[in-house]
Amino acid sequence: MPTASRIDEVRNDLTDLAEAVANAHELMQAMVKMLHERMLKYNWVGFYMLEPGASPPMLVLDAFEGATTPHTRIPLNQGICGAAASSGQTVVVDDVSRDPRYLACSLETRSEIVVPVFVHGKVVGELDIDSHFAAAFTCEHQDLVQYCAKLVAEKLETARTLNVKPGTLNHES
Ligand code: SME
């Protein structure tokens, strides 16, 4: 199947998924599974969320699919992950061996994308995807991953707007 139609198909299924699940954490778990299974070049897919109240701020590994990573906690001044969370910008690295910020998870990783998740204008976490293929994250893929981050952000925003207590409905549960 051409990449464009696979992306469209997965995007539609993610939209349906977001409507079907009960909360943001369920969405994150099902989303990483779907992306890992269906997108052939997405070899590691995971969310890092900012630890509430941590000083200094810390990204903590949440739902993920793929090899176990040694990087379960990442300060904002480290890694591609730290760069995306601290700048609030999507970071795409076509060749991780040429980026001094890169923290290695798997020796096979060649390229990476990290997209921040915003709730009410603030970064609360990010979606990180590694590929065994160089330059895997073209514009179409950036759009898809940003759409994923937006779906999770909307679920988190709904929970926080409803003033749901931590640990009952949103991703902290
Ligand atoms: N490569 C990331 C670290 C996370 S692992 O890839 C899962 C980084 O440079 O921040």
Side-chain angles (χ1 to χ4, degrees):
M1 184 185 296
T3 313
S5 56
R6 177 177 293 270
I7 287 180
D8 289 343
E9 196 187 271
V10 169
R11 177 188 285 258
N12 289 339
D13 289 349
L14 287 163
T15 308
D16 293 345
L17 180 67
E19 280 173 20
V21 296
N23 59 51
H25 198 246
E26 265 187 34
L27 177 59
M28 288 156 64
Q29 285 178 322
M31 183 179 276
V32 295
K33 198 166 186 306
M34 187 186 285
L35 291 172
H36 188 253
E37 278 174 8
R38 305 263 299 274
M39 301 305 293
L40 302 180
K41 294 187 178 179
Y42 294 16
N43 302 110
W44 190 94
V45 184
F47 282 92
Y48 284 91
M49 303 307 285
L50 275 173
E51 191 168 46
S55 179
M58 189 67 71
L59 291 159
V60 180
L61 183 61
D62 204 294
F64 76 97
E65 285 284 328
T68 308
T69 173
H71 304 294
T72 55
R73 297 172 67 79
I74 303 177
L76 290 201
N77 61 352
Q78 287 183 24
I80 314 292
C81 287
S86 56
S87 66
Q89 305 279 325
T90 293
V91 179
V92 177
V93 179
D94 286 341
D95 178 354
V96 294
S97 72
R98 292 175 170 271
D99 193 318
R101 300 170 299 182
Y102 175 65
L103 298 171
C105 166
S106 156
L107 290 177
E108 289 175 293
T109 298
R110 301 285 308 281
S111 60
E112 177 162 9
I113 183 170
V114 187
V115 176
V117 174
F118 290 90
V119 169
H120 300 310
K122 289 195 175 151
V123 176
V124 296
E126 60 193 21
L127 177 53
D128 176 19
I129 305 182
D130 293 352
S131 179
H132 296 172
F133 299 82
F137 303 104
T138 57
C139 290
E140 293 81 7
H141 288 278
Q142 291 174 37
D143 284 350
L144 177 68
V145 183
Q146 283 170 344
Y147 181 64
C148 290
K150 188 169 83 85
L151 288 175
V152 170
E154 283 169 1
K155 279 278 179 217
L156 288 168
E157 279 190 350
T158 308
R160 289 180 193 193
T161 306
L162 293 171
N163 198 17
V164 175
K165 288 196 184 99
T168 56
L169 182 61
N170 64 17
H171 79 281
E172 290 136 353
S173 61

